[in-house]
Amino acid sequence: MAAKPVWSVDPRTGKQRAQVAAEATHREVDAVVREAHAARAALADRTARIAFLRTAAELLDGAAGRIVETADSETALGAARLTGELARTTYQLRAFADAVEEGSYLDIRIDHPDPGLTPPRPALRRYKVPLGVVAVYAASNFPLAFSVPGGDTASALAAGCPVVVKAHPDHPATSELCGALLRRAAVAAGLPADAVAVVHGFDAGLELIRHPLVAAAGFTGSIRGGRALFDAAAARPVPIPFHGELGSLNPVVVTPAAAAERAEEIGAGLAASVTLGTGQFCVKPGLVLVPAGADGDRLADTLGKALGETSPGVLLDRRMREEFLAGVARRAALPEVTAPVPAGPGDGHTVGAGYLSVPAGLLADPAYELLLDECFGPVTVLARYAGQEEAEAVLDRLGGNLSATLQLSSAEADGGPGPAAELIGRVTALAGRVVVDGWPTGVAVAPAQHHGGPYPAATSHSTSVGGTAIERWLRPVAYQSVPDPLLPPELRDANPLGLPRRTTGAH
């Protein structure tokens, strides 16, 4: 049987652009994984890995025009957005190169022996080693930063793990282009090209998660798709870690004092956050608790005006457009749910932004559960609450989220212990990132960043963004009473690599 073709499709027209690849067969996936597995020894060279990551960044920057043009033709995200995303992607690669060079990610700990302790302490030396081949499942909404050259790939390579990326079908040409550049960078750094590879096809993704030489996986996408792969990873004869970023509602709480102080500012900021990337950010605020009354009305009016003035946008593919329109319609059909600015179809390929409004007290009814689920696209739900207890009751019904945002008044923000601090404590329990007086869209690549959260936001407690993302692809090993010449270089007394380490006891 002939391999199924993989087509690049223009979401602005729905027409096929070109065939760019073929779906990988079982035999091809097996071969790619085995070739990646064979590259592990070469990737153990930290100097080569650093060069690989920095060269990859240079090659991607050098091909910026072609990458942005290709990605825009497949995603309709626009040249400005994609240019910024590419800059973020190459910064991320360089940041992980710096992390490998600095070395603290190895978390080296040395305990010298102390026979006087109870129980006696032997000589112990601990650091982290790479897991092995990592399967990466690319995201639809970030064709660069969360796709072939994105954070999962960069952090896994930095850890010393070969990577096989299952490309997203919404941007296969972009995936092929970036994959080829990464492989060129590997060769330029003296590493095998097979340290990173790209495969296409739904069945290939299943073959990948089941392959016995795949040691871990990273995923960014829907709850349904991520949970299916998570379950497959756990059902293997040897289960593997599955680090999935799934769905998130990203609730926002606007306090009465904040609405009184700056309703219009908050409404305008909310509109910009909801429509960023045509509402296709994983941290788009999808549920906003707004006080009932005149101040909340001013916020809603500003939001509605801004959304109404937003031009219709193209979603990433036709299926997402259909699911968005159907999801909005189902939510708007619920009793007492209104659509002051309806989110709906534009022309045959676009959608318009809007918002829904509902009394917050109704969200205690299971019949309104749908309003507590993510709707991917440019729409949000305003839940108008009559008092603090009503707002807290809504928060108590929420699952895990990537982010939670509080809009406070200046007095609340500066007030120290009190209701605002208690509110921060409450939302900390349900989100991986807490934002105050800002918006969750825009996830900075920084050492202190955390992009994850309680399930279903993520399937693990790790982050997919920031310096600590590398920890997902490492495991600790302790060496007890091993003679110095037999230790890995990272753990020897002379510290020949000059790595940071924590030491306990006298030598």
Side-chain angles (χ1 to χ4, degrees), residues 447-505:
Q449 184 60 271
H450 186 83
H451 191 58
Y455 186 86
T459 59
S460 71
H461 298 306
S462 59
T463 179
S464 61
V465 179
T468 56
I470 195 173
E471 295 173 0
R472 297 173 296 169
W473 320 120
L474 298 161
R475 67 176 180 87
V477 178
Y479 295 83
Q480 180 173 326
S481 303
V482 176
D484 193 72
L486 302 181
L487 287 167
E490 292 86 349
L491 300 179
R492 292 176 189 164
D493 283 337
N495 194 8
L497 302 179
L499 296 169
R501 47 175 69 179
R502 302 180 190 180
T503 303
T504 302

Side-chain angles (χ1 to χ4, degrees), residues 85-179:
E85 186 180 334
L86 179 59
R88 170 203 174 95
T89 302
T90 56
Y91 173 83
Q92 200 163 229
L93 286 160
R94 293 184 176 99
F96 279 115
D98 292 344
V100 176
E101 188 170 54
E102 188 270 338
S104 62
Y105 75 99
L106 292 169
D107 194 20
I108 298 173
R109 299 167 186 254
I110 297 175
D111 290 335
H112 292 296
D114 189 340
L117 294 177
T118 304
R121 184 176 66 212
L124 289 167
R125 297 176 184 237
R126 180 186 186 272
Y127 80 143
K128 294 181 179 179
V129 299
L131 292 175
V133 178
V134 170
V136 169
Y137 293 82
S140 62
N141 55 340
F142 281 85
L144 304 173
F146 286 84
S147 192
V148 171
D152 283 353
T153 298
S155 58
L157 291 172
C161 296
V163 173
V164 179
V165 184
K166 190 276 179 188
H168 197 280
D170 279 353
H171 47 262
T174 308
S175 300
E176 284 291 302
L177 173 56
C178 292

Side-chain angles (χ1 to χ4, degrees), residues 319-373:
R319 176 187 58 81
M320 290 185 188
R321 181 177 185 270
E322 292 171 353
E323 290 184 355
F324 170 74
L325 295 175
V328 170
R330 287 196 300 272
R331 289 164 173 80
L334 292 169
E336 296 192 60
V337 173
T338 61
V341 179
D347 59 26
H349 301 283
T350 63
V351 297
Y355 79 94
L356 304 171
S357 185
V358 63
L362 293 178
L363 297 179
D365 187 337
Y368 290 83
E369 190 75 28
L370 186 60
L371 295 177
L372 304 182
D373 291 338

Side-chain angles (χ1 to χ4, degrees), residues 395 400-401 403-406 420-435 453-454:
L395 294 176
N401 288 269
S403 72
T405 298
L406 305 180
E422 293 172 6
L423 190 54
I424 287 177
R426 181 176 285 271
V427 298
T428 295
L430 55 88
R433 179 165 56 105
V434 176
V435 180

